[in-house]
Amino acid sequence: MAALDHPKNELHLYINNKLVYKRRLDTDELEIFNSAAYEKYRLASQEELLAVNGMLIVKAKIKLKLTSTENGGRKTGIISGYRPNHVFEYTSEGKLQRTYIGDINFEGEELMPGEETIATVRLHLTKQVEKYLTKGRKWWLYEVPNLIGEAEIL
C-alpha cells in the first residue's frame, strides 16, 4: 500500500501496490478496480489480511485533539508517528469494545495536550475497522487505560 496524492475524502485500498478499490467517505460510493482482489479481501480473515497486506491509510483530514493534562491526558506532547490504541466502540458496560493499532502523522514538531491538528492516520488493515471510516466519525485514542485524545474524519 502506498500513500499517494488522492482526494482527501477517499479511502484507497492497495494490495501489492495495485489499486483494488476506492470509497468516498462522504457518500460511501465504492469503485472497484480489481474484483478478484476485492472479493479475496472482503472474504479474508483478519489474520490473513494482517499477514499479507499491512496498513490501511486513511487519506482524509483527521482532526486530532489531545485531552488536556487537567482532564487526565498526557503530561507531554506527541510527535508525528505516535502509535496510540484506536477505539471506535465501547461495550454496554462502558468498557473498551476493541482496540485497533495505527499511527498518527501530522506536520509540525509536536502536538501538546489540549491542542488539535489535522493528521493522517494509518491503521492495520482489517475489515472490522473499515466499517468505522466514514465522514464525521469520531473515535478515541488511548494509552491504555488512559484516554488521551480523540479523532474525527472531517
Side-chain angles (χ1 to χ4, degrees):
M1 296 170 56
L4 303 174
D5 292 326
H6 296 300
K8 300 281 188 213
N9 62 347
E10 292 182 352
L11 172 76
H12 292 240
L13 174 69
Y14 287 84
I15 297 178
N16 297 326
N17 291 321
K18 294 191 173 138
L19 181 61
V20 173
Y21 79 88
K22 68 180 178 182
R23 180 168 59 92
R24 290 189 52 89
L25 296 175
D26 52 354
T27 64
D28 226 23
E29 178 184 339
L30 182 69
E31 187 174 352
I32 299 170
F33 298 96
N34 182 329
S35 57
Y38 176 73
E39 283 302 309
K40 183 176 180 183
Y41 161 74
R42 196 174 65 78
L43 299 172
S45 71
Q46 179 177 344
E47 291 75 23
E48 291 170 320
L49 289 171
L50 285 173
V52 174
N53 300 314
M55 301 294 280
L56 177 68
I57 299 172
V58 181
K59 282 299 284 181
K61 287 187 177 179
I62 305 294
K63 182 172 90 175
L64 170 68
K65 181 174 183 179
L66 292 184
T67 304
S68 67
T69 304
E70 297 79 29
N71 290 327
R74 294 173 54 95
K75 292 181 173 76
T76 60
I78 64 170
I79 61 172
S80 189
Y82 176 69
R83 297 177 53 91
N85 290 312
H86 300 261
V87 175
F88 291 88
E89 287 186 291
Y90 293 93
T91 65
S92 57
E93 296 83 33
K95 297 184 182 198
L96 303 182
Q97 176 87 7
R98 177 184 178 143
T99 62
Y100 296 90
I101 298 170
D103 61 17
I104 299 169
N105 296 283
F106 54 89
E107 303 228 354
E109 301 252 338
E110 188 173 24
L111 183 65
M112 298 303 291
E115 294 181 342
E116 65 181 65
T117 192
I118 303 297
T120 298
V121 174
R122 296 186 314 158
L123 297 162
H124 277 286
L125 176 62
T126 67
K127 292 177 292 189
Q128 292 84 352
V129 77
E130 186 184 333
K131 69 183 176 185
Y132 298 117
L133 303 178
T134 57
K135 186 177 180 181
R137 177 64 192 218
K138 291 184 181 183
W139 72 94
W140 303 271
L141 307 171
Y142 275 85
E143 285 179 355
V144 176
N146 301 320
L147 172 65
I148 59 118
E150 69 177 41
E152 175 185 0
I153 298 176
L154 299 178

